Amino acid sequence: YFQMSFNSLGALASGPQYFSPFDLNRNGFAMGEGSALIAVCTQAKAEELQLPIVAELDAIATKTITTHPTNPSDINQIQQFITDVITASGRRLDEFAYWDAHGTATPTGDELEYKIFNETFGNRDVALSSFKSRIGHCMAASALIELVNGIENMRSQTISPNYGIVNKMIDDDRIITQARHTDKKTFIKTSFGFGGRNAAAVVTVK
């Protein structure tokens, strides 16, 4: 059902070649399947239950910005939303290792997200990568799976790269195509869904 619906919208990659997010020739996403689970609680509760604290959720928010049923939301409103989430996190921009992108490999979506990324971080050395290039689009499970991957990236001090890029849509070394070492502990995860449903989370590993 999902595949037929998204194919009718022109959102799925055509032909056998799946073009990676942020590739010049991207033409849609590939469907994936998966699930993830994260236990979230206060620090006091974790200490009471003697649970290991893997990461700290500095800030998380959702915002519906309905401007079109399928196209991404208005860029200025999303930009302000992302700025507000980062401000709420209390983290400085130079503390971020990377932006874990929604990155669906759609022509409109990737371009919009890159513009917001670039406006947010300016010329700072913050990597941009989409885990969907590895696993496809797992629908409602995507953001949580990608959040787990982001946490593991920070724990291993290695940022997973975009897979399959042949020609970058923009000549920017921050769109990484090789794994990158980092000593930083903080990243931002974004999700920009159909119908203008947007979400972002800032996470720091312990």
Side-chain angles (χ1 to χ4, degrees):
Y1 171 78
F2 278 119
Q3 186 162 343
M4 289 188 296
S5 298
F6 285 120
N7 191 52
S8 68
L9 292 172
L12 298 184
S14 59
Q17 176 64 47
Y18 168 56
F19 292 108
S20 173
F22 308 114
D23 188 278
L24 181 64
N25 294 314
R26 67 200 185 282
N27 67 352
F29 60 80
M31 299 288 284
E33 292 184 5
S35 61
L37 175 67
I38 294 179
V40 181
C41 64
T42 64
Q43 181 173 338
K45 192 65 176 178
E47 292 172 351
E48 176 189 334
L49 297 174
Q50 298 184 327
L51 298 174
I53 300 175
V54 176
E56 179 179 343
L57 186 60
D58 299 315
I60 187 169
T62 61
K63 187 180 180 82
T64 300
I65 306 171
T66 306
T67 54
H68 191 277
T70 57
N71 285 345
S73 303
D74 175 75
I75 187 170
N76 294 321
Q77 293 187 62
I78 301 181
Q79 179 69 64
Q80 187 59 57
F81 168 64
I82 296 297
T83 299
D84 291 344
V85 173
I86 291 176
T87 299
S89 77
R91 298 292 176 181
R92 303 185 314 274
L93 293 178
D94 59 9
E95 291 184 78
F96 286 80
Y98 87 113
W99 179 306
D100 195 295
H102 183 66
T104 54
T106 53
T108 302
D110 286 8
E111 183 175 336
L112 177 141
E113 190 164 17
Y114 174 81
K115 288 179 180 178
I116 297 171
F117 159 79
N118 195 48
E119 181 67 25
T120 300
F121 289 106
N123 60 1
R124 292 176 178 83
D125 187 23
V126 177
L128 178 65
S129 182
S130 171
F131 195 48
K132 286 186 181 69
S133 65
R134 295 276 178 176
I135 61 172
H137 198 322
C138 299
M139 301 294 102
S142 293
L144 195 55
I145 293 170
E146 292 157 20
L147 191 66
V148 170
N149 177 67
I151 291 171
E152 291 305 306
N153 280 345
M154 297 296 90
R155 295 180 72 192
S156 66
Q157 298 184 306
T158 304
I159 304 171
S160 56
N162 296 283
Y163 178 73
I165 289 180
V166 177
N167 296 298
K168 292 182 184 179
M169 68 177 201
I170 294 174
D171 185 17
D172 189 335
D173 289 340
R174 295 174 300 174
I175 300 175
I176 59 173
T177 57
Q178 299 292 329
R180 175 182 289 190
H181 172 78
T182 183
D183 292 322
K184 297 178 181 179
K185 301 292 186 181
T186 300
F187 72 99
I188 181 169
K189 169 69 199 137
T190 52
S191 179
F192 305 138
F194 281 108
R197 190 63 173 169
N198 306 293
V202 175
V203 179
T204 301
V205 300
K206 304 299 287 184

